[in-house]
Each structure stands twice: as C-alpha cells, then as structure tokens.
Amino acid sequence: MPVTSEFSLIKQFFSQLTSQRDDVILGIGDDCALLQCPADHSVAVSIDTLVEGIHFFSDVDPYTLGHKSLAVGLSDLAAMGATPAWFTLALTLPDLDQAWLKGFSNGLAKLATEHNIQLVGGDTTRGPLCISIQVHGFVKPDQALRRDGAKIGDLIYVTGTLGDAGAALQYQSKQWHNVKLTASDKNYLQQRLETPTPRVAIGQKLLGIASAAIDVSDGLLADLGHILERSNVGAQLDLAKLPLSCVLSEIDRESAQQFALHSGDDYELCFTVAPHDSADIEQGFAGLCTCIGTITNDNGIYFINDQDQLTQLTGTGYDHFSANR
Ligand code: ADP
Ligand code: MG
C-alpha cells in the first residue's frame, strides 16, 4: 500500500508499532491518549530531539536511528530509576520515503518491545528531518534517583565503559589523527555510537541504594558536574580506574582517557553511593559498574597527577550553545 498521506503513514507504520499495555485506556487515533498511572507513583517525563546534521549524519541507517531516538529517552528514565511505560513521537520528514520509514519504525519497535514501552501518540509534519520522542515512566517520588542527593564521602560509580561513542564520532569525522581502525574495532565503536544500551534495569536496581544519578549524554565531566552542582559538593577521580573498552584502550590509551572524560553519547549511568551501601554495589553489580572516585567538599573535579599533586580537571562536554563551538 503506497503511503499517500499523513494518516495512512501513521496507520501503516506507527499505530501497531508496539504491544498494547493494560494501562493505556486509549492509544493512537484520538485527540489525546488516555493513560492510567499506578497508585503511589509519579510519572517521570522527559523529551529529546534528534536533528539531522547535528545529532546524526544524513546517511545513517534508519533502523539504528529508530533505536537511538528512543534509547536516549529510555536512558533518562534509567537515570531516575523509573520503569518505562509510554512514549509519544513527533516526526518531521522531508518526504514519504517508505524504505526509510520501515527501517526507522522497525528499529524503534524492537527497542520499545524490549522495554515494554508503548507508543501512544505523536505528530507528523513535513520539513527537515527531525525526531522528538517524549518518554513516560513510573517511579515512587520519594525514591527517584535525583541529581541533588550526593553527600561528601559517597563513592562515584559508572556503568559499562566510557568514551567509545565519542571515539566513533571523531573517527567518522576524521578528527582522530594517526589512527587506523580494523573493521571489527570500527564496527564495535560505531555500534556504541549508533545503538547505545539504555541502562534501565540497573537504574531500577539502584532505587534505595544510589544517593544521586545521571546518565552520561554530554560527557562524564559535564554530567558528573551536574550532580556536583545540584548537590553542592566536589569530586576526586582516580583516572586509572576510568572504565575503557578493550578496543579503545588498546588503540590509544591517552586519547581513550580524554574521550572517557569529555565526549558524550555513551548513555551509561554515573551515580553516587554512601560508603555503607557500597558492598551492595560490589556484590549486586559486579562487572556492571566501576568505582571511579569519591565525593568531596571541594568545588570542582580533581585528580592526583603523576607528581602526587591534586589537580583540577577542566573542560566539559558537548554544549550546543557554547560560544567556542
Ligand atoms: P491532531 O490534529 O488532533 O493533533 P493528528 O492528525 O496529528 O491529530 O494525529 C492523529 C492521531 O495520530 C493522534 O492520536 C496522534 O497522537 C497520532 N499520531 C500522529 N502522528 C503520530 C506519530 N508520528 N506517531 C504516533 N502517533 C501519531
Ligand atoms: Mg497533531
């Protein structure tokens, strides 16, 4: 069936995209969706927009773009410890490209199904390619993992490995000089950039354990910086403990550390834990996260350099409106 209008497009690609949840009283097709939130829970809401040429290359595979468009929102839910429930999709398309829509909606559907999150509405317009997804999840308000709960003495952890997505981006845009990757290394890094894994299950397991949490979308220093600012504390990092993938650390350890500190798009979680809860983390999360430092009362982020001096880490991550871009 050729797609000839906004309505047939929605019908063909989006109205049956995800499985149906019992708490969706009315889904796609009316002026609004009607949704039922469980008692004693808040709805955690977050929206992200991906713009062609800014957040993704024009020739990116639509399937991976569908994955990533939802993954970034799921990562925000993960960082609050929320359970995914519903999402809406605002899609601006230059034309009705069936092959593109098929790939995009398949990538979206696969990740949505994995996380039992239902598409309940959206908006479709014509214009330069742009994708906005708003996600909704459930969390008890007194348990949610906020940015403002870090305390002096807490340990700082991150999930997975850092810097892979940033390295992929630099390699793609030919700014990572003197490096030639093998096909499989390139593939690994590319996958980390294009199909990140939102740490939803870990986020939920951190409820009642983590004192603060954030997802690393703009770079570790920038995002940890948000926790520090909101919690009015500082941090000391052990740079040797920054978790790096084998691929990244074997290529160029120095650059790897820089990517891990400054580059975004990893969608790992950074969280803080009181020392007396750290045993829970070491046991329950073995292999899933790494302790990288401690919360201190100094403003800023510091490390001990080779000469045993306390040194401030400067520079942040990606800022769309920064003056020196
Ligand atoms: P309205 O003009 O009342 O906003 P629309 O014509 O924009 O309604 O949309 C009709 C129905 O299709 C609504 O339920 C809307 O939520 C849904 N919808 C529109 N675009 C999308 C999309 N890209 N993905 C999912 N649902 C969509
Ligand atoms: Mg509309």
Side-chain angles (χ1 to χ4, degrees), residues 11 25 102 129 152 169 195 213 223-224 257 261 271 293 297:
K11 197 153 184 232
I25 300 162
K102 191 160 188 277
L129 183 58
I152 295 164
L169 199 58
T195 51
D223 290 316
L224 174 59
Q257 211 170 62
L261 289 171
F271 58 94
N297 62 357

Side-chain angles (χ1 to χ4, degrees), residues 205-279:
K205 282 199 211 145
L206 291 174
L207 291 171
I209 304 176
S211 51
I214 193 166
D215 65 322
V216 182
S217 54
D218 294 328
L220 178 67
L221 290 191
D223 290 316
L224 174 59
H226 294 313
I227 290 186
L228 303 181
E229 196 183 320
R230 295 292 294 276
S231 303
N232 200 20
V233 290
Q236 187 174 321
L237 299 184
D238 184 346
L239 297 188
K241 293 212 179 120
L242 287 179
L244 305 172
S245 65
C246 299
V247 168
L248 201 53
S249 57
E250 280 169 16
I251 296 162
D252 171 359
R253 215 184 150 76
E254 184 117 340
S255 306
Q257 211 170 62
Q258 292 303 310
F259 288 131
L261 289 171
H262 300 282
S263 67
D265 265 2
D266 285 316
Y267 298 101
E268 298 295 346
L269 297 182
C270 173
F271 58 94
T272 58
V273 174
H276 58 84
D277 284 327
S278 67

Side-chain angles (χ1 to χ4, degrees), residues 18-36:
T18 51
S19 55
Q20 310 294 299
R21 293 172 55 101
D22 291 344
D23 51 17
V24 177
I25 300 162
L26 189 60
I28 291 172
D30 214 309
D31 295 312
C32 292
L34 296 175
L35 310 166
Q36 187 67 49

Side-chain angles (χ1 to χ4, degrees), residues 57-71:
F57 293 108
S58 308
D59 59 354
V60 72
D61 176 1
Y63 184 93
T64 64
L65 187 59
H67 174 108
K68 186 155 181 178
S69 305
L70 181 59

Side-chain angles (χ1 to χ4, degrees), residues 121-142:
D123 197 25
T124 309
T125 51
R126 190 184 285 261
L129 183 58
C130 178
I131 302 145
S132 281
I133 287 189
Q134 183 165 47
V135 292
H136 308 76
F138 306 140
V139 67
K140 292 193 172 163
D142 54 338

